[in-house]
Amino acid sequence: MSYQEKNTWAYGVVAVLGYVTYLAVVLRRADGGPLADVAYAGPLLATVGAAVAAGILAGIVLGALSPDRAVRDEREREIERLGEHVGQAFLVLGGVGALLLALREADHFWIANTLYLGFVLSAVLSAAARLVAFRRGVGPW
């Protein structure tokens, strides 16, 4: 497994773990009450910050342990591009969803969580697309 593939695995796993942690904290705080009344900003910022830090740390550790980290061929660049395209689609969907909620004057909780979900889906699906491409190759399109 190349450094790029290992780093993609770490990126996807960190994104999922960060979001699951955030959901667990928010749902525990809600304790059966309305979600919009939960103090969500602190856990959201903390989990996003921790996920970014964990992703950077994982990249550093994997890079230090991988002798092939500087080697990137045309195939890996194509895989990277494919993953970015898939991820950006979900960023746009999250942004449009948050914009629609703002226009409907929804609670800030729902707007922030729609954006966060868009970020997470972008990261996870981008990583999934890359991992599939690493295993099966990039199509001729």
Side-chain angles (χ1 to χ4, degrees):
M1 189 182 303
S2 71
Y3 164 73
Q4 305 299 336
E5 190 173 354
K6 291 177 196 170
N7 205 23
T8 301
W9 270 107
Y11 180 72
V13 168
V14 165
V16 169
L17 290 178
Y19 192 66
V20 167
T21 301
Y22 168 73
L23 285 179
V25 170
V26 167
L27 291 175
R28 197 181 73 193
R29 284 185 177 187
D31 197 27
L35 286 174
D37 293 342
V38 173
Y40 66 94
L44 193 152
L45 292 173
T47 54
V48 168
V52 168
I56 291 170
L57 182 63
I60 290 170
V61 170
L62 290 171
L65 299 176
S66 300
D68 67 338
R69 69 180 178 276
V71 178
R72 288 186 69 179
D73 57 13
E74 185 63 30
R75 177 180 171 267
E76 287 181 339
R77 283 191 281 277
E78 283 293 320
I79 290 170
E80 180 78 18
R81 192 172 316 143
L82 171 71
E84 289 298 320
H85 288 179
V86 170
Q88 287 175 0
F90 284 90
L91 270 180
V92 169
L93 288 174
V96 169
L99 178 64
L100 292 173
L101 287 171
L103 291 173
R104 293 183 52 100
E105 298 180 2
D107 192 277
H108 291 166
F109 174 86
W110 297 113
I111 296 169
N113 279 281
T114 299
L115 284 171
Y116 189 26
L117 181 61
F119 292 144
V120 171
L121 286 176
S122 170
V124 170
L125 295 173
S126 170
R130 288 180 191 153
L131 291 172
V132 168
F134 275 118
R135 296 297 171 178
R136 296 187 179 175
V138 179
W141 55 84

